[in-house]
Amino acid sequence: MMTVFVYQTFEIKQDKFQDAMENLKEIQKFRNEHFEQKVEILSPISGQDHTYALLSTYDGLAEMELQDKKMFDDEDYLKLIGDFFLKNIIQGSMHTQIYRTTTTKG
């Protein structure tokens, strides 16, 4: 099995920073407690100051697909992310990349 990482970056509106950080922590807590995934909030050390990221870890592509379906079928989760995307981030700033671990035969 190969671990899958979903890396999502987005730019937070400067005037919504406090609300965005509170909302991000709620999203992280909700996903870690209600779904079988590990979610980390990454803050910038270099680069654009208000560009943050979510790093989600799954046990393979099938697990990622299953968890995505569960999340988007959950009304409470949809409200959390809807508020976050509509109110707190700059439109068009979200970028999602998916990575997986590689295996080496040695």
Side-chain angles (χ1 to χ4, degrees):
M1 174 182 357
M2 289 185 250
T3 303
V4 171
F5 301 93
V6 178
Y7 178 67
Q8 295 178 295
T9 60
F10 44 87
E11 192 173 345
I12 294 174
K13 294 177 183 175
Q14 196 166 358
D15 63 332
K16 296 288 188 173
F17 183 77
Q18 190 62 39
D19 291 340
M21 293 309 295
E22 289 172 15
N23 197 215
L24 264 177
K25 289 174 187 172
E26 288 178 43
I27 290 170
Q28 177 190 36
K29 182 180 178 192
F30 194 91
R31 287 176 64 178
N32 286 339
E33 291 178 359
H34 292 88
F35 305 110
E36 296 172 32
Q37 52 191 266
K38 179 183 174 193
V39 178
E40 298 289 339
I41 300 169
L42 306 178
S43 61
I45 293 175
S46 65
Q48 294 181 318
D49 287 341
H50 288 89
T51 298
Y52 280 72
L54 288 176
L55 180 63
S56 307
T57 306
Y58 303 90
D59 293 329
L61 286 170
E63 184 64 26
M64 181 191 77
E65 292 287 337
L66 177 64
Q67 293 301 321
D68 279 357
K69 180 173 179 2
K70 287 181 182 179
M71 287 188 300
F72 289 100
D73 286 344
D74 188 300
E75 293 296 322
D76 293 331
Y77 180 70
L78 290 177
K79 170 122 177 64
L80 272 177
I81 64 165
D83 287 347
F84 178 69
F85 290 126
L86 293 174
K87 297 176 183 174
N88 299 315
I89 71 165
I90 295 173
Q91 183 176 348
S93 71
M94 177 163 271
H95 300 282
T96 302
Q97 298 175 359
I98 301 174
Y99 296 92
R100 67 177 171 198
T101 56
T102 58
T103 57
T104 55
K105 296 185 180 191

